[in-house]
Amino acid sequence: MQYAGVGGVSVDCDVLVIGGGIVGLSTAHALSRLAPGTRVTVLEKESAPARHQTGRNSGVIHSGIYYRPGSLKARFAVAGAAEMVKFCVEHGIPHEVTGKLIVATERSELPRLHSLVQRGRENGIPVRELGPAQITEYEPHVRGLAAIHVGTTGIVDYGQVAARLAEESGAEIVYGAEADLISRRPSAVAVRTTSGRVFRARVLVNCAGLQCDRVARLAGDDPGMRIIPFRGEYHDLARPDLVRGLVYPVPDPAFPFLGVHLTRGIGGGVHVGPNAVPALAREGYGWGTVRPRDIATELAWPGSWRMAGRHWRYGAGEIHRSLSKRAFTEAVRRLLPAVTEADLTPAAAGVRAQAVLRDGTLVDDFLIREAPRTVHVLNAPSPAATASLPIGREIAGRALAHL
């Protein structure tokens, strides 16, 4: 791609953001606050914002209890939860601070539950420990040996949040604009889209989510990771009266997934899920969506094989629960014994963009890397929606440093 930089040809904007999910839009929003007058353009390959991870999650405002103290996830989730509630109040976006229960159903889970209590306190999160009788005071139909109540958890529609961030950002947002070529020079960056249009900027920010590693490689950078997509499948609960709020199992610390949980949403319905099934496409929202290019990319990455070698039993269990409604129901019955197969109706799935390193490690923190005139966001799955306002400021600050 031939173009001249800042010294020769006009630059369309100061900062060009690839990705119109909640992280990209929060970055554009933060740029307008941190540096008023900064010209920002957002490129989104879909016809509207928040079509992937942002618009296909469980809508939970996470407290930050799960994340290692001092990590980006812990810092940004704790701050982001409070900021998200404030943002929703200021902009009239429906939300609710419901609190949630994390429930141990087996004795082997009790040490992990206690560890979560300690972690929550280290992260400054109010936590209350509960016995079996106290569990039923919060959730009459839930059973467990012990639980903790986390008061700062809430619910919201992140699609609405993303739409408001887009409106408030003042950025030019271009839909149907998929990047297929990036050229970087000492003075500027140019991005060509599949339609042939070229956008020039002083700084590029890669918030492409499920495609972020590919965008990094388009820019000439080795991201040192690959996105491995995990589909999260949900069911609607036909008897929502069985659940008052949010109920989670005790997560396995070896994985960045929280397990199948119960979430009463803004509309009053209850979502059950998600699981974590290896997807056959970056945007593989069902078993019928298969993209050979995506599969080939996964198989060519050494980290995929190393991850599979370590965690194949976990993966096999997730696939079994995906293919067998009976097995999925049994997993739910650990928390909610009254549920039956007939109570569960398949709902829209999501896909988690999970970064996996060459050695097979599943990255468990947000991952942001910089290159000349470029900021790459390479791992921003849950709780990125909760953390979107502070993480957007972090990315914006890094981008401004390149101007």
Side-chain angles (χ1 to χ4, degrees):
M1 176 167 48
Q2 297 296 318
Y3 80 101
V6 171
V9 169
S10 65
V11 173
D12 300 317
C13 62
D14 297 307
V15 181
L16 181 64
V17 179
I18 297 179
I22 198 167
V23 173
L25 294 170
S26 178
T27 299
H29 182 268
L31 285 164
S32 70
R33 270 58 182 173
L34 293 174
T38 302
R39 297 169 299 164
V40 181
T41 299
V42 178
L43 304 184
E44 167 54 48
K45 71 183 182 67
E46 305 295 352
S47 60
R51 287 297 178 91
H52 295 290
Q53 291 184 105
T54 301
R56 289 176 169 266
N57 58 45
S58 54
V60 175
I61 302 174
H62 288 284
S63 64
I65 191 171
Y66 301 107
Y67 313 116
R68 177 175 50 82
S71 65
L72 293 179
K73 279 190 176 181
R75 289 165 42 209
F76 290 160
V78 172
E83 289 187 43
M84 184 59 63
V85 170
K86 182 181 178 184
F87 184 87
C88 292
V89 170
E90 290 175 349
H91 295 90
I93 298 172
H95 68 286
E96 186 178 352
V97 180
T98 59
K100 78 172 178 182
L101 297 185
I102 304 173
V103 181
T105 57
E106 298 178 3
R107 290 195 176 277
S108 62
E109 296 173 338
L110 294 175
R112 301 207 306 265
L113 187 71
H114 181 70
S115 295
L116 281 179
V117 172
Q118 297 303 115
R119 177 162 285 190
R121 289 173 178 162
E122 288 180 57
N123 287 336
I125 298 164
V127 177
R128 181 188 176 203
E129 299 181 72
L130 308 177
Q134 293 166 306
I135 292 172
T136 58
E137 291 176 12
Y138 283 97
E139 293 284 353
H141 299 283
V142 170
R143 297 293 179 267
L145 300 177
I148 55 180
H149 180 260
V150 187
T152 52
T153 303
I155 52 173
V156 71
D157 180 344
Y158 284 115
Q160 290 191 45
V161 175
R164 184 52 63 93
L165 285 169
E167 293 172 9
E168 297 282 324
S169 70
E172 177 190 11
I173 303 175
V174 184
Y175 296 110
E178 181 175 0
D180 76 342
L181 187 62
I182 299 175
S183 181
R184 188 168 53 198
R185 298 288 185 269
S187 55
V189 182
V191 176
R192 189 187 71 190
T193 67
T194 51
S195 68
R197 188 174 176 187
V198 176
F199 295 84
R200 299 172 182 84
R202 297 169 68 191
V203 178
L204 174 68
V205 176
N206 168 15
C207 293
L210 286 158
Q211 312 295 338
C212 66
D213 55 335
R214 288 175 174 163
V215 170
R217 293 198 301 277
L218 280 178
D221 297 321
D222 178 5
M225 43 64 74
R226 290 293 183 275
I227 290 296
I228 304 299
F230 287 88
R231 183 171 62 256
E233 297 165 333
Y234 292 92
H235 288 73
D236 289 325
L237 187 62
R239 291 190 286 161
D241 56 295
L242 292 177
V243 179
R244 289 180 175 177
L246 280 64
V247 184
Y248 281 62
V250 179
D252 185 335
F255 303 97
F257 312 114
L258 299 181
V260 172
H261 46 268
L262 312 167
T263 306
R264 177 174 286 277
I266 289 295
V270 174
H271 260 53
V272 182
N275 52 10
V277 183
L280 300 178
R282 292 285 177 108
E283 296 162 9
Y285 297 110
W287 284 109
T289 303
V290 180
R291 293 203 172 93
R293 178 197 176 198
D294 292 349
I295 295 172
T297 299
E298 291 181 39
L299 295 179
W301 182 240
S304 298
W305 296 97
R306 291 166 181 153
M307 175 188 67
R310 289 178 202 156
H311 304 307
W312 67 269
R313 284 187 178 87
Y314 181 93
E318 292 292 282
I319 292 170
H320 177 55
R321 284 183 286 275
S322 172
L323 298 175
S324 168
K325 189 175 182 181
R326 176 178 295 179
F328 187 92
T329 305
E330 285 304 311
V332 179
R333 282 173 56 83
R334 291 180 56 202
L335 291 171
L336 192 66
V339 77
T340 67
E341 288 186 51
D343 290 324
L344 301 176
T345 304
V351 175
R352 177 190 180 102
Q354 176 62 51
V356 176
L357 302 181
R358 183 175 289 275
D359 66 1
T361 300
L362 286 82
V363 179
D364 68 350
D365 201 1
F366 298 140
L367 180 60
I368 306 170
R369 289 183 174 159
E370 296 178 57
R373 294 199 173 274
T374 309
V375 180
H376 297 293
V377 182
L378 299 174
N379 195 59
S382 179
T386 298
S388 55
L389 294 171
I391 199 174
R393 282 197 304 277
E394 173 73 18
I395 298 163
R398 296 190 187 206
L400 291 170
H402 287 267
L403 289 178

